[in-house]
Amino acid sequence: MTTEKIDSVSITTQANVFFDGKCISHAITTANGTKLSVGVILPATLTFNTAASEVMECVAGFCEYKLDGSHDWVKSSAGEKFNVPGNSKFDIRVTEPYHYICHFG
């Protein structure tokens, strides 16, 4: 099930802009202190480095991702999630806007 609403949050109004505007997100902290980001990736193939583990939740659109050390691209669509280990990286490619929530470990 796709998350449609996140209640009782603090949001950073200054956007995080990465890869020349191909990825734009906003940092969110929930009432219980959970850290998230909500954003969109425009058509591109990008590589992200992680410090903490992450769960990428697709809200709309779809992506293909490849985890560090893998040679296989895996599709993730609306309502689906994928896990990224901490202290690693992953490649993501999108052909249409990919709306996501990133849940930090």
Side-chain angles (χ1 to χ4, degrees), residues 4 9 11-12 14 16 20-21 24 26 28-30 34 43 52 59 71 77 79-81 87 89 96 103-104:
E4 294 181 7
V9 300
I11 185 168
T12 303
Q14 177 80 30
N16 299 304
D20 296 323
I24 301 171
H26 288 273
I28 293 175
T29 303
T30 66
T34 301
V59 175
H71 299 288
S77 300
E80 297 179 338
K81 301 175 184 180
N87 299 312
K89 63 182 178 178
E96 62 184 54
H103 304 259
F104 296 101

Side-chain angles (χ1 to χ4, degrees), residues 9 14-15 21 26-27 38 47 52 54 67-68 72-73 85 87 91 94 100-101:
V9 300
Q14 177 80 30
H26 288 273
V38 174
T47 301
E54 300 178 0
L67 298 177
D68 195 22
D72 300 322
W73 288 94
N87 299 312
D91 297 319
V94 300
Y100 68 90
I101 300 170

